[in-house]
Short mmCIF file of all heavy atoms in Angstrom, two decimals:
data_model
loop_
_atom_site.label_atom_id
_atom_site.label_comp_id
_atom_site.label_asym_id
_atom_site.label_seq_id
_atom_site.Cartn_x
_atom_site.Cartn_y
_atom_site.Cartn_z
N MET T 1 147.15 27.10 115.07
CA MET T 1 147.98 26.41 116.08
C MET T 1 148.18 27.40 117.26
O MET T 1 148.47 28.58 117.11
CB MET T 1 149.36 26.13 115.44
CG MET T 1 150.35 25.60 116.40
SD MET T 1 151.89 25.25 115.60
CE MET T 1 152.06 23.50 116.06
N ALA T 2 147.95 26.83 118.42
CA ALA T 2 147.98 27.66 119.67
C ALA T 2 149.54 27.90 120.00
O ALA T 2 150.38 27.02 119.80
CB ALA T 2 147.33 26.98 120.78
N ILE T 3 149.80 29.08 120.59
CA ILE T 3 151.17 29.42 121.00
C ILE T 3 151.35 28.77 122.36
O ILE T 3 150.48 28.82 123.28
CB ILE T 3 151.28 30.94 121.19
CG1 ILE T 3 151.16 31.62 119.89
CG2 ILE T 3 152.62 31.33 121.83
CD1 ILE T 3 151.07 33.13 119.92
N PRO T 4 152.50 28.03 122.52
CA PRO T 4 152.73 27.39 123.81
C PRO T 4 152.70 28.45 125.09
O PRO T 4 153.27 29.53 124.86
CB PRO T 4 154.18 26.80 123.73
CG PRO T 4 154.30 26.67 122.26
CD PRO T 4 153.57 27.73 121.66
N THR T 5 152.22 27.98 126.16
CA THR T 5 152.01 28.84 127.23
C THR T 5 152.57 28.18 128.50
O THR T 5 152.24 27.04 128.64
CB THR T 5 150.57 29.31 127.50
OG1 THR T 5 150.03 29.83 126.33
CG2 THR T 5 150.40 30.20 128.65
N ILE T 6 153.29 28.92 129.38
CA ILE T 6 153.75 28.27 130.62
C ILE T 6 152.60 28.38 131.62
O ILE T 6 152.07 29.47 131.92
CB ILE T 6 154.92 29.03 131.20
CG1 ILE T 6 156.12 28.82 130.24
CG2 ILE T 6 155.26 28.52 132.61
CD1 ILE T 6 157.34 29.69 130.69
N HIS T 7 152.17 27.24 132.12
CA HIS T 7 151.02 27.13 133.07
C HIS T 7 151.52 26.94 134.46
O HIS T 7 150.73 27.28 135.39
CB HIS T 7 150.10 26.01 132.74
CG HIS T 7 149.24 26.19 131.49
ND1 HIS T 7 148.10 26.97 131.52
CD2 HIS T 7 149.44 25.91 130.22
CE1 HIS T 7 147.55 26.99 130.34
NE2 HIS T 7 148.32 26.40 129.56
N GLY T 8 152.77 26.57 134.68
CA GLY T 8 153.21 26.31 136.06
C GLY T 8 154.68 25.82 135.96
O GLY T 8 155.10 25.23 135.04
N ILE T 9 155.28 25.90 137.19
CA ILE T 9 156.65 25.36 137.28
C ILE T 9 156.64 24.38 138.51
O ILE T 9 156.14 24.86 139.59
CB ILE T 9 157.64 26.44 137.38
CG1 ILE T 9 157.65 27.32 136.14
CG2 ILE T 9 159.10 25.98 137.72
CD1 ILE T 9 158.45 28.61 136.23
N GLY T 10 157.10 23.20 138.37
CA GLY T 10 157.12 22.31 139.54
C GLY T 10 158.24 22.71 140.48
O GLY T 10 159.06 23.52 140.25
N ALA T 11 158.21 22.06 141.64
CA ALA T 11 159.18 22.39 142.73
C ALA T 11 160.58 21.97 142.30
O ALA T 11 160.72 20.89 141.64
CB ALA T 11 158.75 21.70 144.01
N TYR T 12 161.51 22.61 142.82
CA TYR T 12 163.00 22.27 142.60
C TYR T 12 163.32 20.96 143.27
O TYR T 12 162.87 20.75 144.41
CB TYR T 12 163.88 23.46 143.11
CG TYR T 12 165.30 23.17 143.08
CD1 TYR T 12 166.10 23.32 141.89
CD2 TYR T 12 166.01 22.71 144.20
CE1 TYR T 12 167.42 23.00 141.85
CE2 TYR T 12 167.35 22.43 144.06
CZ TYR T 12 168.06 22.59 143.00
OH TYR T 12 169.41 22.35 142.94
N SER T 13 164.03 20.11 142.60
CA SER T 13 164.53 18.88 143.24
C SER T 13 166.03 18.71 142.97
O SER T 13 166.55 19.15 142.05
CB SER T 13 163.88 17.66 142.57
OG SER T 13 162.48 17.71 142.69
N SER T 14 166.73 18.07 144.03
CA SER T 14 168.15 17.81 143.86
C SER T 14 168.49 16.55 144.53
O SER T 14 167.73 16.12 145.41
CB SER T 14 169.03 19.00 144.39
OG SER T 14 168.88 19.12 145.76
N GLY T 15 169.57 15.95 144.25
CA GLY T 15 170.06 14.74 144.86
C GLY T 15 171.14 14.00 144.05
O GLY T 15 171.50 14.47 142.96
N THR T 16 171.60 12.91 144.57
CA THR T 16 172.65 12.08 143.86
C THR T 16 172.11 10.90 143.26
O THR T 16 172.91 10.12 142.60
CB THR T 16 173.72 11.90 144.87
OG1 THR T 16 173.17 11.09 145.98
CG2 THR T 16 174.47 13.11 145.40
N GLY T 17 170.92 10.47 143.48
CA GLY T 17 170.32 9.27 142.92
C GLY T 17 169.05 9.62 142.09
O GLY T 17 168.81 10.83 141.74
N PRO T 18 168.30 8.65 141.71
CA PRO T 18 167.11 8.80 140.92
C PRO T 18 166.08 9.89 141.59
O PRO T 18 165.91 9.79 142.85
CB PRO T 18 166.43 7.41 140.85
CG PRO T 18 167.56 6.49 141.11
CD PRO T 18 168.46 7.19 142.05
N LEU T 19 165.54 10.74 140.85
CA LEU T 19 164.59 11.68 141.37
C LEU T 19 163.33 11.48 140.70
O LEU T 19 163.19 11.12 139.48
CB LEU T 19 165.07 13.15 141.02
CG LEU T 19 166.31 13.59 141.78
CD1 LEU T 19 166.77 15.01 141.28
CD2 LEU T 19 166.20 13.65 143.26
N THR T 20 162.24 11.91 141.39
CA THR T 20 160.91 11.85 140.81
C THR T 20 160.41 13.35 140.83
O THR T 20 160.03 13.82 141.95
CB THR T 20 159.86 11.05 141.58
OG1 THR T 20 160.40 9.71 141.61
CG2 THR T 20 158.49 11.04 140.96
N PRO T 21 160.52 14.09 139.78
CA PRO T 21 160.29 15.45 139.77
C PRO T 21 158.71 15.77 140.08
O PRO T 21 157.89 14.98 139.55
CB PRO T 21 160.65 16.01 138.43
CG PRO T 21 160.68 14.79 137.51
CD PRO T 21 160.98 13.57 138.41
N ALA T 22 158.45 16.76 140.86
CA ALA T 22 157.09 17.18 141.18
C ALA T 22 156.51 17.91 140.00
O ALA T 22 157.20 18.68 139.34
CB ALA T 22 157.04 18.10 142.34
N LEU T 23 155.27 17.56 139.64
CA LEU T 23 154.60 18.27 138.54
C LEU T 23 153.95 19.54 139.15
O LEU T 23 153.57 19.61 140.34
CB LEU T 23 153.48 17.42 138.04
CG LEU T 23 153.87 16.09 137.27
CD1 LEU T 23 152.67 15.26 136.84
CD2 LEU T 23 154.96 16.36 136.23
N PRO T 24 153.83 20.50 138.31
CA PRO T 24 153.14 21.79 138.82
C PRO T 24 151.72 21.55 139.06
O PRO T 24 151.11 20.64 138.55
CB PRO T 24 153.37 22.74 137.60
CG PRO T 24 154.10 22.03 136.52
CD PRO T 24 154.28 20.62 136.93
N THR T 25 151.15 22.47 139.99
CA THR T 25 149.74 22.29 140.18
C THR T 25 148.90 22.68 138.96
O THR T 25 149.46 23.51 138.18
CB THR T 25 149.38 23.20 141.36
OG1 THR T 25 149.71 24.53 141.08
CG2 THR T 25 149.97 22.80 142.70
N GLY T 26 147.78 22.15 138.79
CA GLY T 26 146.95 22.46 137.67
C GLY T 26 147.22 21.69 136.39
O GLY T 26 146.55 21.90 135.42
N VAL T 27 148.05 20.74 136.48
CA VAL T 27 148.36 19.96 135.20
C VAL T 27 147.19 19.00 134.96
O VAL T 27 146.61 18.40 135.85
CB VAL T 27 149.55 19.02 135.49
CG1 VAL T 27 149.80 18.01 134.36
CG2 VAL T 27 150.91 19.92 135.52
N VAL T 28 146.76 18.93 133.74
CA VAL T 28 145.71 18.12 133.37
C VAL T 28 146.12 17.19 132.21
O VAL T 28 147.09 17.48 131.52
CB VAL T 28 144.38 18.97 132.79
CG1 VAL T 28 143.88 19.78 133.92
CG2 VAL T 28 144.75 19.82 131.63
N ALA T 29 145.35 16.15 132.06
CA ALA T 29 145.69 15.12 131.09
C ALA T 29 145.77 15.70 129.64
O ALA T 29 145.00 16.59 129.32
CB ALA T 29 144.64 14.01 131.05
N GLY T 30 146.87 15.37 128.93
CA GLY T 30 147.09 15.88 127.55
C GLY T 30 148.02 17.09 127.49
O GLY T 30 148.43 17.41 126.34
N MET T 31 148.35 17.71 128.59
CA MET T 31 149.32 18.71 128.57
C MET T 31 150.73 18.33 128.30
O MET T 31 151.13 17.16 128.78
CB MET T 31 149.35 19.46 129.95
CG MET T 31 148.35 20.51 130.20
SD MET T 31 148.78 21.37 131.77
CE MET T 31 147.61 22.63 131.66
N GLY T 32 151.50 19.03 127.47
CA GLY T 32 152.88 18.74 127.21
C GLY T 32 153.72 19.30 128.30
O GLY T 32 153.49 20.34 128.80
N LEU T 33 154.59 18.44 128.75
CA LEU T 33 155.47 18.80 129.91
C LEU T 33 156.96 18.74 129.48
O LEU T 33 157.35 17.86 128.75
CB LEU T 33 155.21 17.96 131.17
CG LEU T 33 153.88 17.80 131.61
CD1 LEU T 33 153.69 16.69 132.68
CD2 LEU T 33 153.42 19.13 132.28
N LEU T 34 157.75 19.64 130.05
CA LEU T 34 159.21 19.68 129.71
C LEU T 34 159.98 19.63 131.06
O LEU T 34 159.49 20.29 131.99
CB LEU T 34 159.63 20.90 129.03
CG LEU T 34 159.21 21.02 127.54
CD1 LEU T 34 159.57 22.41 126.99
CD2 LEU T 34 159.74 19.91 126.69
N LEU T 35 161.03 18.84 131.09
CA LEU T 35 161.83 18.73 132.30
C LEU T 35 163.27 19.07 131.96
O LEU T 35 163.85 18.52 130.98
CB LEU T 35 161.78 17.25 132.76
CG LEU T 35 162.75 16.87 134.01
CD1 LEU T 35 162.39 17.68 135.23
CD2 LEU T 35 162.66 15.40 134.22
N HIS T 36 163.84 20.09 132.61
CA HIS T 36 165.21 20.46 132.33
C HIS T 36 166.03 19.95 133.51
O HIS T 36 165.70 20.22 134.71
CB HIS T 36 165.32 22.00 132.26
CG HIS T 36 164.50 22.61 131.09
ND1 HIS T 36 163.19 22.88 131.31
CD2 HIS T 36 164.81 22.78 129.86
CE1 HIS T 36 162.69 23.32 130.13
NE2 HIS T 36 163.65 23.30 129.24
N VAL T 37 167.16 19.30 133.24
CA VAL T 37 168.00 18.70 134.28
C VAL T 37 169.47 19.16 134.06
O VAL T 37 170.01 18.99 133.04
CB VAL T 37 167.99 17.13 134.25
CG1 VAL T 37 168.85 16.55 135.32
CG2 VAL T 37 166.53 16.67 134.35
N GLU T 38 170.02 19.71 135.14
CA GLU T 38 171.47 20.12 135.05
C GLU T 38 172.22 19.12 135.95
O GLU T 38 171.84 18.75 137.03
CB GLU T 38 171.65 21.52 135.62
CG GLU T 38 173.08 22.00 135.54
CD GLU T 38 173.38 23.39 136.13
OE1 GLU T 38 172.43 23.93 136.77
OE2 GLU T 38 174.40 23.92 135.86
N SER T 39 173.40 18.65 135.41
CA SER T 39 174.19 17.73 136.11
C SER T 39 175.67 17.94 135.73
O SER T 39 175.96 18.86 134.99
CB SER T 39 173.81 16.20 135.64
OG SER T 39 174.02 16.08 134.25
N ASN T 40 176.56 17.16 136.22
CA ASN T 40 177.96 17.28 135.92
C ASN T 40 178.13 16.87 134.46
O ASN T 40 177.52 15.98 133.97
CB ASN T 40 178.80 16.37 136.76
CG ASN T 40 178.84 16.86 138.21
OD1 ASN T 40 178.83 18.05 138.55
ND2 ASN T 40 178.93 15.96 139.15
N ALA T 41 179.12 17.60 133.80
CA ALA T 41 179.31 17.21 132.34
C ALA T 41 179.68 15.71 132.19
O ALA T 41 180.46 15.18 132.88
CB ALA T 41 180.48 18.06 131.82
N GLY T 42 179.12 15.14 131.23
CA GLY T 42 179.32 13.71 130.91
C GLY T 42 178.53 12.75 131.76
O GLY T 42 178.61 11.53 131.53
N GLU T 43 177.75 13.23 132.80
CA GLU T 43 177.03 12.37 133.54
C GLU T 43 175.63 12.02 133.00
O GLU T 43 174.86 12.94 132.71
CB GLU T 43 176.72 13.11 135.01
CG GLU T 43 176.08 12.26 135.98
CD GLU T 43 175.91 12.98 137.36
OE1 GLU T 43 176.61 13.95 137.57
OE2 GLU T 43 175.00 12.62 138.07
N ALA T 44 175.40 10.78 132.73
CA ALA T 44 174.12 10.41 132.15
C ALA T 44 173.04 10.61 133.12
O ALA T 44 173.08 10.39 134.29
CB ALA T 44 174.22 8.94 131.75
N VAL T 45 171.87 11.13 132.64
CA VAL T 45 170.66 11.39 133.44
C VAL T 45 169.47 10.66 132.81
O VAL T 45 169.34 10.68 131.60
CB VAL T 45 170.41 12.86 133.50
CG1 VAL T 45 169.13 13.20 134.27
CG2 VAL T 45 171.59 13.63 134.13
N ALA T 46 168.69 10.02 133.65
CA ALA T 46 167.45 9.48 133.18
C ALA T 46 166.33 9.68 134.17
O ALA T 46 166.61 9.80 135.34
CB ALA T 46 167.63 7.90 133.03
N SER T 47 165.16 9.82 133.75
CA SER T 47 164.05 10.00 134.78
C SER T 47 162.83 9.10 134.24
O SER T 47 162.45 9.23 133.09
CB SER T 47 163.63 11.48 134.68
OG SER T 47 162.68 11.76 135.74
N SER T 48 162.47 8.23 135.09
CA SER T 48 161.34 7.36 134.78
C SER T 48 160.10 8.01 134.25
O SER T 48 159.61 9.03 134.90
CB SER T 48 161.04 6.50 135.95
OG SER T 48 160.04 5.54 135.74
N GLY T 49 159.55 7.65 133.13
CA GLY T 49 158.32 8.15 132.59
C GLY T 49 158.55 9.37 131.67
O GLY T 49 157.65 9.91 131.14
N TRP T 50 159.81 9.81 131.48
CA TRP T 50 160.14 10.96 130.69
C TRP T 50 161.03 10.50 129.54
O TRP T 50 161.74 9.53 129.66
CB TRP T 50 160.97 11.97 131.50
CG TRP T 50 160.12 12.65 132.62
CD1 TRP T 50 159.92 12.09 133.83
CD2 TRP T 50 159.41 13.90 132.51
NE1 TRP T 50 159.08 12.96 134.53
CE2 TRP T 50 158.83 14.04 133.80
CE3 TRP T 50 159.37 14.91 131.61
CZ2 TRP T 50 158.09 15.27 134.11
CZ3 TRP T 50 158.55 16.02 131.87
CH2 TRP T 50 157.96 16.19 133.09
N THR T 51 160.82 11.14 128.37
CA THR T 51 161.55 10.75 127.17
C THR T 51 162.61 11.84 126.87
O THR T 51 162.27 13.12 126.78
CB THR T 51 160.55 10.65 125.94
OG1 THR T 51 159.62 9.57 126.24
CG2 THR T 51 161.30 10.19 124.70
N ALA T 52 163.79 11.51 126.57
CA ALA T 52 164.85 12.46 126.16
C ALA T 52 164.41 13.18 124.90
O ALA T 52 164.01 12.61 123.94
CB ALA T 52 166.21 11.87 126.06
N VAL T 53 164.61 14.49 124.83
CA VAL T 53 164.35 15.26 123.63
C VAL T 53 165.50 15.08 122.70
O VAL T 53 166.70 15.19 123.15
CB VAL T 53 164.10 16.81 123.97
CG1 VAL T 53 164.09 17.63 122.71
CG2 VAL T 53 162.88 16.98 124.84
N SER T 54 165.25 14.72 121.47
CA SER T 54 166.38 14.47 120.57
C SER T 54 166.80 15.78 119.93
O SER T 54 166.13 16.85 119.92
CB SER T 54 165.88 13.49 119.41
OG SER T 54 164.80 14.04 118.70
N GLY T 55 167.94 15.78 119.31
CA GLY T 55 168.46 17.02 118.73
C GLY T 55 169.66 17.48 119.51
O GLY T 55 170.66 16.79 119.58
N ASP T 56 169.53 18.66 120.06
CA ASP T 56 170.73 19.22 120.73
C ASP T 56 170.68 19.02 122.27
O ASP T 56 171.21 19.77 123.04
CB ASP T 56 170.75 20.79 120.49
CG ASP T 56 171.04 21.07 119.11
OD1 ASP T 56 171.74 20.27 118.39
OD2 ASP T 56 170.69 22.18 118.61
N SER T 57 170.04 17.95 122.71
CA SER T 57 170.04 17.60 124.16
C SER T 57 170.68 16.24 124.33
O SER T 57 170.21 15.35 123.53
CB SER T 57 168.71 17.61 124.67
OG SER T 57 168.61 17.20 125.97
N PRO T 58 171.53 15.98 125.18
CA PRO T 58 172.16 16.97 126.23
C PRO T 58 173.25 17.85 125.59
O PRO T 58 173.84 17.52 124.55
CB PRO T 58 172.64 15.97 127.35
CG PRO T 58 173.06 14.78 126.56
CD PRO T 58 172.02 14.61 125.47
N VAL T 59 173.48 18.86 126.27
CA VAL T 59 174.63 19.79 125.96
C VAL T 59 175.57 19.81 127.11
O VAL T 59 175.18 20.11 128.26
CB VAL T 59 174.07 21.18 125.66
CG1 VAL T 59 175.20 22.21 125.43
CG2 VAL T 59 173.16 21.14 124.52
N ASN T 60 176.85 19.55 126.85
CA ASN T 60 177.87 19.73 127.86
C ASN T 60 178.44 21.11 127.71
O ASN T 60 179.01 21.53 126.63
CB ASN T 60 179.03 18.64 127.64
CG ASN T 60 178.53 17.30 127.99
OD1 ASN T 60 178.04 17.08 129.16
ND2 ASN T 60 178.66 16.33 127.08
N ASN T 61 178.37 21.86 128.76
CA ASN T 61 178.83 23.23 128.75
C ASN T 61 180.28 23.47 129.12
O ASN T 61 180.92 22.52 129.85
CB ASN T 61 177.99 24.08 129.73
CG ASN T 61 176.51 24.14 129.33
OD1 ASN T 61 176.19 24.37 128.13
ND2 ASN T 61 175.65 23.82 130.28
N ALA T 62 180.90 24.47 128.71
CA ALA T 62 182.35 24.73 129.05
C ALA T 62 182.62 24.84 130.55
O ALA T 62 183.71 24.65 130.94
CB ALA T 62 182.75 25.98 128.29
N ASN T 63 181.58 25.17 131.33
CA ASN T 63 181.81 25.35 132.74
C ASN T 63 181.76 23.96 133.48
O ASN T 63 181.67 24.05 134.77
CB ASN T 63 180.84 26.40 133.30
CG ASN T 63 179.36 25.97 133.19
OD1 ASN T 63 179.08 24.82 132.75
ND2 ASN T 63 178.48 26.70 133.76
N GLY T 64 181.63 22.90 132.82
CA GLY T 64 181.61 21.57 133.49
C GLY T 64 180.29 20.96 133.86
O GLY T 64 180.18 20.11 134.67
N THR T 65 179.21 21.55 133.29
CA THR T 65 177.83 21.22 133.56
C THR T 65 177.26 20.61 132.32
O THR T 65 177.67 20.90 131.15
CB THR T 65 176.91 22.24 134.17
OG1 THR T 65 176.85 23.34 133.26
CG2 THR T 65 177.51 22.81 135.48
N ARG T 66 176.14 19.84 132.49
CA ARG T 66 175.49 19.25 131.35
C ARG T 66 174.00 19.62 131.54
O ARG T 66 173.40 19.48 132.63
CB ARG T 66 175.63 17.78 131.39
CG ARG T 66 174.98 16.95 130.35
CD ARG T 66 175.17 15.48 130.56
NE ARG T 66 174.46 14.72 129.53
CZ ARG T 66 174.93 13.55 129.05
NH1 ARG T 66 176.15 13.11 129.49
NH2 ARG T 66 174.25 12.90 128.25
N LEU T 67 173.35 20.07 130.44
CA LEU T 67 171.86 20.38 130.43
C LEU T 67 171.17 19.30 129.54
O LEU T 67 171.50 19.17 128.39
CB LEU T 67 171.66 21.76 129.90
CG LEU T 67 170.12 22.14 129.94
CD1 LEU T 67 169.58 22.20 131.34
CD2 LEU T 67 169.93 23.53 129.31
N SER T 68 170.23 18.61 130.11
CA SER T 68 169.42 17.63 129.40
C SER T 68 167.99 18.11 129.49
O SER T 68 167.50 18.65 130.51
CB SER T 68 169.53 16.22 130.08
OG SER T 68 170.91 15.81 130.18
N VAL T 69 167.16 17.83 128.44
CA VAL T 69 165.84 18.15 128.40
C VAL T 69 165.03 16.85 128.03
O VAL T 69 165.41 16.08 127.16
CB VAL T 69 165.51 19.24 127.26
CG1 VAL T 69 164.03 19.56 127.22
CG2 VAL T 69 166.42 20.47 127.47
N PHE T 70 163.92 16.71 128.84
CA PHE T 70 163.02 15.53 128.61
C PHE T 70 161.63 16.03 128.46
O PHE T 70 161.30 17.23 128.79
CB PHE T 70 163.08 14.75 129.91
CG PHE T 70 164.39 14.10 130.22
CD1 PHE T 70 165.32 14.83 130.96
CD2 PHE T 70 164.73 12.87 129.85
CE1 PHE T 70 166.57 14.26 131.18
CE2 PHE T 70 165.97 12.33 130.03
CZ PHE T 70 166.91 13.02 130.74
N ARG T 71 160.75 15.25 127.86
CA ARG T 71 159.37 15.57 127.60
C ARG T 71 158.45 14.48 127.99
O ARG T 71 158.89 13.30 128.08
CB ARG T 71 159.16 15.95 126.15
CG ARG T 71 159.38 14.75 125.21
CD ARG T 71 159.05 15.00 123.83
NE ARG T 71 159.38 13.88 122.91
CZ ARG T 71 158.55 12.81 122.84
NH1 ARG T 71 157.39 12.72 123.43
NH2 ARG T 71 158.89 11.80 122.02
N ARG T 72 157.17 14.79 128.29
CA ARG T 72 156.12 13.75 128.45
C ARG T 72 154.77 14.51 128.28
O ARG T 72 154.68 15.66 128.35
CB ARG T 72 156.20 13.00 129.72
CG ARG T 72 155.82 13.86 130.97
CD ARG T 72 156.01 13.14 132.26
NE ARG T 72 154.86 12.41 132.64
CZ ARG T 72 154.80 11.94 133.86
NH1 ARG T 72 155.73 11.97 134.76
NH2 ARG T 72 153.70 11.31 134.18
N ILE T 73 153.80 13.65 128.06
CA ILE T 73 152.39 14.07 128.05
C ILE T 73 151.74 13.71 129.33
O ILE T 73 151.74 12.54 129.70
CB ILE T 73 151.59 13.53 126.83
CG1 ILE T 73 152.37 13.88 125.49
CG2 ILE T 73 150.15 13.98 126.78
CD1 ILE T 73 152.44 15.40 125.13
N ALA T 74 151.08 14.70 129.96
CA ALA T 74 150.38 14.35 131.27
C ALA T 74 149.31 13.38 131.06
O ALA T 74 148.53 13.44 130.10
CB ALA T 74 149.92 15.63 131.93
N THR T 75 149.13 12.47 132.05
CA THR T 75 148.07 11.53 131.99
C THR T 75 147.12 11.74 133.10
O THR T 75 147.43 12.36 134.04
CB THR T 75 148.57 10.01 131.97
OG1 THR T 75 149.44 9.90 133.16
CG2 THR T 75 149.46 9.77 130.80
#
């Protein structure tokens, strides 16, 4: 089994409505992608084409923020 490797990081995005996150350069079909989203605590976040990671996501932090993690396979 291959060890996961970071191949690139997409551009930072921010806003108050739906966002379409930019993919890093060099992404090829079949690559696994992760998206980390920080928002206000309790604020639901969704991103078209991305699936929420189950388990410990999202996490509401004591400082009033929420971290959500999403995944997808590049096509």
Side-chain angles (χ1 to χ4, degrees):
M1 174 183 236
I3 296 173
T5 304
I6 295 175
H7 287 276
I9 298 173
Y12 173 81
S13 298
S14 68
T16 57
L19 295 174
T20 303
L23 298 179
T25 57
V27 170
V28 296
M31 273 187 172
L33 304 170
L34 292 174
L35 172 65
H36 300 85
V37 179
E38 183 180 14
S39 62
N40 292 324
E43 183 178 343
V45 176
S47 189
S48 180
W50 294 81
T51 303
V53 172
S54 61
D56 292 334
S57 174
V59 173
N60 290 306
N61 298 310
N63 65 358
T65 62
R66 176 180 179 148
L67 181 63
S68 302
V69 181
F70 298 87
R71 65 174 177 79
R72 75 184 267 191
I73 302 297
T75 55

